[in-house]
Amino acid sequence: MTTRRLVLTRSAAVIGAASTGLLLPQIARAQSDKVRVGFMLPYTGTFAQLGVAIENGFMMALNEQGGKLGGREVEFFKVDDESNPAKGIENANRLVQRDKVDVLVGTVHSGVQMGIHKVARDSGVLSLIPNAGVHVATRAQCAPNVYRTSFSNSQPTLALGKAMMDRGHKKAVWITWNYAAGEEAFEGFEKGYTEAGGTIIKKLGVPFPNVEFQALLTEIASLNPDAVACFFAGGGAAKFLKDFAAAGLNKNIQLYGSGFLTEGVLEAAGPAADGVLTTMHYSDSLDTPRNKQFRLSYAKTFKAQPDVYAVQGYDTGLLLVKGANAVKGDLSNKQALYAAMDGAVIDSPRGKWTMSKAHNPIQDMYLRKVVNGENKVIGIAGKAVADSAAGCRMG
Ligand code: PHB
């Protein structure tokens, strides 16, 4: 695998200006006049489409500001992190040391996030996490310059257990990728499910990003649980849904997951996803003017349907806009910048959420069911769900 650095040729200013017909002002500005934003996201591999959706969402929030941050134009730098943890530190340093970004937006994979997190803590650069749920980033290693706009890995699965027990599914098998996100998603699932009275009869895993599920599906069939619960995402999630159905398991065993299982993959999975139940902080079908307006505008701009990753990217942009506007674009005024972001209430397509003292969203969790290729909300699985923030001494 090769590391690829992609310098973005367009800018939010251009996109914003193009829509208003004003293309002149951004020409020949001194570089230092511009806010330097670095995207460190997966643009290849099983999480590639997640990276694109996050970037699109982020750009949308900036475009709503005419492409500016606190009145300043924006210059973008991009690194494809390939969801490869081994290159996490090196890739983050490219953006921070070489490109001298003011803000680092990234990433999807929890292992790669640990590389970004080290660089962010060492350098003090503003780090906005648009997906990766790795616990420690907003627990024991929480930091004033690190904000997460997505979830902690155990947040979505914490709400799953009760929904399963409500449906009489008392014996479950858990399956995931063996890395931080899977392990921590299990932590939430185990707590919620066992507290509700459920029994986990087996915990299964494959290495990330392996998608050879056959042997484990055979094992699940022989274990004959009431339900299977899982964490998978992106290309791997589509493959798991299809393999689970192709093995005939969906006939007798109810499949559950954190909502990533059915995000951005419903077209690829087709009927294999029908009836799958998930918990998540967003749903396409949220019947609010805010969500409808977001979905319409996103579809118009990017010719694609938004998913939870697009929403998280958008909210990352909204948070940064709030901070940048409060300091009129002077991101070096960290005290005022952080104060504005700490107190932020984000008016998100997912519903309004607030930033916890440890810098992780406090948000509602929805219970969703896949019906006719859509994630339909069928209930609220948790109100104002917060991460434990264990070990974080901020605030
Ligand atoms: C993670 O690695 O933290 C991760 C990746 C993909 C998801 C959710 C979490 O959809």
Side-chain angles (χ1 to χ4, degrees):
M1 286 205 269
T2 53
T3 302
R4 291 203 258 156
R5 175 179 174 262
L6 311 152
V7 175
L8 203 60
T9 46
R10 74 194 156 133
S11 74
V14 172
I15 294 171
S19 62
T20 55
L22 297 167
L23 270 170
L24 286 176
Q26 56 119 30
I27 295 169
R29 280 279 177 90
Q31 270 206 347
S32 57
D33 280 346
K34 295 182 181 171
V35 179
R36 299 165 82 87
V37 172
F39 289 122
M40 180 160 152
L41 292 165
Y43 293 103
T44 53
T46 202
F47 290 158
Q49 63 180 24
L50 287 58
V52 171
I54 288 168
E55 185 190 315
N56 287 348
F58 184 90
M59 296 306 275
M60 203 173 127
L62 258 62
N63 290 343
E64 289 173 1
Q65 303 293 311
K68 296 195 173 181
L69 279 170
R72 285 172 69 194
E73 286 168 14
V74 184
E75 184 173 12
F76 294 94
F77 301 84
K78 286 196 353 180
V79 168
D80 176 8
D81 70 34
E82 303 164 29
S83 295
N84 183 355
K87 293 186 191 160
I89 293 178
E90 180 191 331
N91 280 332
N93 268 327
R94 287 211 160 94
L95 290 167
V96 173
Q97 305 293 345
R98 184 190 61 193
D99 300 332
K100 310 226 171 324
V101 297
D102 301 300
V103 189
L104 214 162
V105 176
T107 189
V108 168
H109 184 287
S110 277
V112 179
Q113 195 67 47
M114 290 312 293
I116 294 181
H117 201 58
K118 176 167 176 22
V119 170
R121 296 208 324 153
D122 290 352
S123 66
V125 76
L126 178 60
S127 164
L128 305 180
I129 311 176
N131 184 73
V134 62
H135 283 165
V136 79
T138 57
R139 291 191 184 178
Q141 289 183 25
C142 67
N145 58 316
V146 177
Y147 292 81
R148 178 152 50 205
T149 56
S150 49
F151 55 88
S152 80
N153 280 327
S154 56
Q155 247 178 332
T157 42
L158 197 58
L160 205 50
K162 189 177 173 304
M164 293 171 69
M165 288 303 286
D166 285 349
R167 282 159 186 76
H169 296 140
K170 298 179 188 148
K171 281 189 317 172
V173 168
W174 169 262
I175 181 167
T176 190
W177 276 312
N178 292 327
Y179 81 105
E183 287 302 323
E184 294 177 354
F186 177 74
E187 193 183 306
F189 168 64
E190 184 180 36
K191 186 171 188 309
Y193 190 53
T194 55
E195 279 178 5
T199 304
I200 301 164
I201 55 177
K202 189 102 191 213
K203 200 179 151 192
L204 300 170
V206 290
F208 177 87
N210 190 329
V211 290
E212 296 312 316
F213 301 119
Q214 216 47 57
L216 296 180
L217 292 173
T218 305
E219 190 175 349
I220 291 173
S222 72
L223 288 164
N224 195 27
D226 299 331
V228 167
C230 68
F231 162 78
F232 289 111
K239 173 81 165 40
F240 183 75
L241 288 167
K242 283 197 272 192
D243 288 3
F244 190 85
L249 296 185
N250 60 343
K251 294 198 186 80
N252 304 314
I253 305 172
Q254 176 63 48
L255 181 59
Y256 290 89
S258 57
F260 308 112
L261 181 65
T262 58
E263 284 298 317
V265 303
L266 290 179
E267 216 167 296
D274 282 348
V276 173
L277 291 163
T278 61
T279 43
M280 173 94 323
H281 45 279
Y282 178 66
S283 176
D284 311 342
S285 77
L286 284 177
D287 192 12
T288 60
R290 184 76 179 99
N291 187 43
K292 285 187 175 152
Q293 170 235 325
F294 168 77
R295 296 193 67 83
L296 213 66
S297 168
Y298 186 98
K300 218 166 109 188
T301 310
F302 301 107
K303 312 283 175 256
Q305 288 302 318
D307 54 19
V308 73
Y309 308 105
V311 171
Q312 290 168 181
Y314 181 65
D315 289 4
T316 305
L318 292 183
L319 179 69
L320 184 58
V321 162
K322 263 195 202 301
N325 284 348
V327 295
K328 301 199 169 49
D330 178 11
L331 299 191
S332 68
N333 183 357
K334 293 194 174 173
Q335 212 183 349
L337 176 68
Y338 297 163
M341 289 169 57
D342 286 352
V345 178
I346 301 297
D347 186 13
S348 166
R350 72 181 97 167
K352 283 201 172 103
W353 60 267
T354 55
M355 188 61 84
S356 78
K357 292 208 159 97
H359 294 175
N360 190 70
I362 300 173
Q363 55 192 337
D364 295 343
M365 287 290 155
Y366 306 99
L367 177 62
R368 307 131 23 116
K369 182 176 186 174
V370 179
V371 183
N372 296 330
E374 241 195 46
N375 286 302
K376 287 254 181 264
V377 179
I378 58 168
I380 304 279
K383 270 304 239 186
V385 178
D387 184 68
S388 77
C392 175
R393 289 195 291 270
M394 287 196 308

